[in-house]
Amino acid sequence: MSESASLTASDTSAQKKPAGRRGRVRSTPKGRQVDPQAREEVRALLGAEPRRRDLLIEHLHKIQDHFGCLSAAHLAALAEEMKLGMTEVYEVATFYHHFDVVKEGQARPPAITVRVCDSIACELAGSHALLERLPSLLGPGVRVLHAPCVGRCETAPVAVAGQNPIPHATSDEVARAVQSGQLKHPSTGSVTPGHIGYEAYRAGGGYALAAGCHIGERQRADVIAAMEHSGLRGLGGAGFPTGRKWKIVAAEPGPRLMAINIDEGEPGTFKDRYYLERDPHRFIEGALIAAWAVGIEAIYIYLRDEYHGCRAILEQEIANLQANPPFAIPAIHLRRGAGAYICGEESSMIESIEGKRGEPRLRPPYVAQVGLFGRPTLEHNMETLHWVREILERGPEWFAGHGRHGRKGLRSFSVSGRVKKPGVRLAPAGITLRELIDEYCGGMLDGHELYGYLPGGASGGILPASKADIPLDFDTLNEYGCFIGSAAIVVLSNQDKAAAAARNLMKFFADESCGQCTPCRVGTVKALQLMEQKRWDAPLLKELSQAMMDASICGLGQAAPNPALCVLKYFPGEVES
């Protein structure tokens, strides 16, 4: 047989054999097929919005808000529309608490969701009774969920019906809101009564300072020096000196970006919301001054999802500013969180702004070096920028001179718990808890005596009443195993137990751990199990705490043991018998 005949016979023989795994011809493309209707619905929702990777979370919000959940069909359509792998979209959507991913064959969640905050301030105010009563009162058509801190601790207990926060909530008030369809924040779609709008802010001298900077009335070096001399430190919790941070980022090669952290998820903290609801342009002007001084190309504002009213305010006021800017301003992008406490950590926030899971980065000492989109990034808490204008107008000595007991500056204390007048209290840095309660909060509630307090929210530890005369400021609490953080003060009385407060906080950390590192993911759950025992295994709990503090990637796992360790140190009688 000739060679050509042999080849022909071989080819014919091969054609007659059943196709192997590699030779099988598919009748449909590989992977999940996109439903045509879902594709059109997603395209209609996104409209002309860019399909960039960093907008993934924003686009997920659009689908969640419109349909009440994220169906598998819509996730597949979004992945196709954004040219992303289905795995990428799914892993981001399932990371955040506020996205309801519904797989094929699963039931959609009820159309109405009521979230009841059960963090420390709300638990003290009776949120557990709400959680027990509401499911039967509202019926099967309403989903009732426990929620971590929603940033309204001064009005505890708080329930959120849809997107409508209900302060000092009772079962009947929540039921009335649901039955009457009051499911949107009162400010959504309109001007929030009481906040200073763009025109009023400018009429009161707003943006004149920033405009002066742009026309050369001030020099960058002088402004940065003034911020250094003021003693202003980061007010989100870390306390890094503001002027020094500006100097560090300005020295990095451009282009540079700014990320403003308004995630404010620390239980007990609500100061950023307080200022946003009243004077939003003051922090925006501070951001523009910082952007000018450091040489910032674009500003990204990361706002926690629970602040629906603040988002409406910022969307409106940023649009007003951009429509009639007093000078050339950098691009300002407002990004919406999705219910993840971990995104208050700066590198997690940056990941989330980029449209990813909010997992902390292993990174160099300063975010300035490897920041947003790989560029040098100036990261700030909102309240830090709130003070920039006033410091520069009044002089750095004005701010520095307000301290007490040898300290410098002013602090916005978020005060909740057993006091007569909870709320944001602007007081001298270094004030003691006893002075803060007596002079700014109207004293303890009738029938209550001071027993202990959280000086820095969930992660700052717990101190007894005998330590109520320590100056409250950066570095003053370190020797006691505590820190002030964002100055979230939760006051406990003789009707409370420090061990119960610590359990509440550890449960919060266990729920909010991102799961990336084992010491935090496993350690918080194990610590909670140990703390649920009547008698705590102190040696084991201390050993576990040390492992978490030494080996966790970020501050969540590193600080989570603080409340438990403080109970063992200052309230041993509660857990030894």
Side-chain angles (χ1 to χ4, degrees):
M1 184 184 294
S2 67
E3 183 178 354
S4 59
S6 176
L7 288 172
T8 302
S10 175
D11 291 345
T12 303
S13 175
Q15 290 171 3
K16 291 179 180 179
K17 291 180 180 179
R21 185 174 184 86
R22 293 183 178 275
R24 186 178 296 127
V25 177
R26 286 186 163 280
S27 60
T28 59
K30 186 177 181 181
R32 183 187 296 270
Q33 301 308 296
V34 176
D35 177 73
Q37 181 179 344
R39 178 190 291 119
E40 292 308 312
E41 289 171 343
V42 167
R43 285 178 177 174
L45 276 178
L46 301 191
E49 289 290 322
R51 272 56 168 173
R52 297 196 315 267
R53 176 65 173 80
D54 62 289
L55 292 175
L56 173 57
I57 295 173
E58 296 295 306
H59 295 339
L60 288 170
H61 272 304
K62 289 182 175 68
I63 298 172
Q64 174 78 37
D65 289 347
H66 187 81
F67 294 102
C69 66
L70 300 174
S71 69
H74 286 134
L75 289 178
L78 181 63
E80 178 190 74
E81 192 69 11
M82 298 187 70
K83 295 181 173 56
L84 295 173
M86 183 64 185
T87 302
E88 289 182 84
V89 175
Y90 180 80
E91 71 176 6
V92 171
T94 53
F95 180 83
Y96 296 93
H97 295 315
H98 292 178
F99 292 141
D100 294 305
V101 176
V102 177
K103 301 177 183 178
E104 294 96 334
Q106 287 185 336
R108 298 165 64 92
I112 299 174
T113 296
V114 172
R115 289 181 166 87
V116 178
C117 177
D118 63 353
S119 285
I120 181 64
C122 286
E123 183 180 78
L124 294 176
S127 62
H128 281 184
L130 278 175
L131 282 165
E132 291 175 2
R133 175 78 177 104
L134 284 175
S136 60
L137 181 63
L138 298 178
V142 178
R143 178 174 59 163
V144 178
L145 301 176
H146 87 90
C149 187
V150 297
R152 298 179 178 275
C153 315
E154 82 278 28
T155 60
V158 180
V160 183
Q163 295 183 356
N164 180 23
I166 302 172
H168 305 296
T170 65
S171 299
D172 290 340
E173 288 173 336
V174 175
R176 279 195 294 271
V178 170
Q179 292 162 6
S180 61
Q182 298 174 22
L183 304 176
K184 296 291 185 182
H185 191 283
S187 69
T188 302
S190 62
V191 178
T192 299
H195 92 267
I196 301 172
Y198 180 58
E199 295 301 329
Y201 183 76
R202 289 197 66 178
Y207 292 111
L209 175 62
C213 291
H214 277 263
I215 62 174
E217 292 179 358
R218 294 176 184 257
Q219 301 300 311
R220 287 181 170 85
D222 294 338
V223 167
I224 293 177
M227 298 308 298
E228 287 187 292
H229 294 156
S230 72
L232 179 67
R233 297 172 65 172
L235 298 175
F240 195 87
T242 301
R244 194 192 310 172
K245 181 181 285 190
W246 290 16
K247 186 178 293 185
I248 289 170
V249 180
E252 295 290 324
R256 308 174 194 89
L257 302 175
M258 182 189 297
I260 301 174
N261 193 336
I262 322 180
D263 194 56
E264 194 171 51
E266 183 79 9
T269 308
F270 47 91
K271 61 184 176 60
D272 292 352
R273 174 184 57 79
Y274 175 88
Y275 287 121
L276 274 177
E277 290 175 341
R278 289 156 178 79
D279 197 359
H281 285 283
R282 187 167 294 269
F283 104 84
I284 295 174
E285 181 170 11
L288 293 177
I289 292 170
W292 163 81
V294 176
I296 297 296
E297 180 183 272
I299 298 171
Y300 289 80
I301 301 172
Y302 189 81
L303 179 70
R304 72 176 304 189
D305 191 32
E306 291 86 346
Y307 288 175
H308 303 290
C310 292
R311 187 168 64 253
I313 291 171
L314 284 176
E315 287 173 347
Q316 174 179 294
E317 297 304 331
I318 291 172
N320 291 339
L321 170 65
Q322 292 171 331
N324 182 28
F327 48 86
I329 63 174
I332 301 176
H333 305 279
L334 179 60
R335 293 295 174 84
R336 179 179 172 184
Y341 166 73
I342 190 65
C343 290
E345 193 273 340
E346 57 185 356
S347 68
S348 301
M349 174 192 66
I350 287 173
E351 289 285 296
S352 191
I353 291 174
E354 293 179 355
K356 304 172 186 175
R357 295 164 64 89
E359 295 178 335
R361 296 176 177 177
L362 290 171
R363 53 187 171 82
Y366 302 112
V367 172
Q369 295 170 299
V370 183
L372 191 57
F373 306 115
R375 298 181 181 182
T377 301
L378 178 65
E379 188 272 338
H380 267 312
N381 168 255
M382 190 227 82
E383 195 208 344
T384 310
L385 297 168
H386 174 89
W387 291 111
V388 169
R389 173 187 166 187
E390 203 155 6
I391 288 172
L392 294 177
E393 287 180 339
R394 296 183 178 224
E397 296 79 10
W398 165 82
F399 186 82
H402 272 85
R404 190 177 291 186
H405 301 294
R407 312 303 295 179
K408 295 182 179 180
L410 286 164
R411 293 303 303 264
S412 299
F413 294 93
S414 302
V415 185
S416 60
R418 309 299 193 178
V419 296
K420 289 182 177 178
K421 296 180 180 179
V424 174
R425 299 289 174 252
L426 184 61
I431 194 172
T432 68
L433 176 79
R434 208 177 302 278
E435 292 169 334
L436 184 66
I437 292 174
D438 293 341
E439 298 176 26
Y440 291 84
C441 301
M444 297 289 293
L445 287 172
D446 292 338
H448 292 256
E449 296 178 7
L450 179 64
Y451 178 65
Y453 66 105
L454 283 64
S459 54
I462 306 175
L463 289 172
S466 61
K467 306 294 183 185
D469 295 311
I470 302 169
L472 297 173
D473 199 8
F474 295 113
D475 310 321
T476 60
L477 301 167
N478 296 359
E479 63 181 290
Y480 305 99
C482 297
F483 57 83
I484 193 169
S486 58
I489 310 292
V490 184
V491 180
L492 307 178
S493 79
N494 55 343
Q495 298 186 21
D496 306 311
K497 294 293 184 182
R503 278 192 294 271
N504 177 285
L505 302 175
M506 189 59 75
K507 181 179 183 298
F508 171 83
F509 290 129
D511 287 344
E512 293 296 324
S513 173
C514 75
Q516 183 179 196
C517 67
T518 302
C520 178
R521 181 183 68 250
V522 177
T524 52
V525 174
K526 179 62 177 178
L528 180 59
Q529 293 171 349
L530 293 172
M531 295 165 67
E532 286 173 339
Q533 304 302 312
K534 182 177 180 180
R535 183 182 180 91
W536 291 8
D537 186 337
L540 181 57
L541 191 53
K542 289 178 180 178
E543 182 180 358
L544 175 62
S545 297
Q546 193 63 53
M548 293 170 64
M549 292 186 291
D550 289 344
S552 295
I553 290 175
C554 80
L556 191 156
Q558 294 163 10
N562 287 346
L565 294 175
C566 285
V567 170
L568 292 173
K569 183 175 182 180
Y570 299 115
F571 305 90
E574 290 191 16
V575 295
E576 289 183 351
S577 60

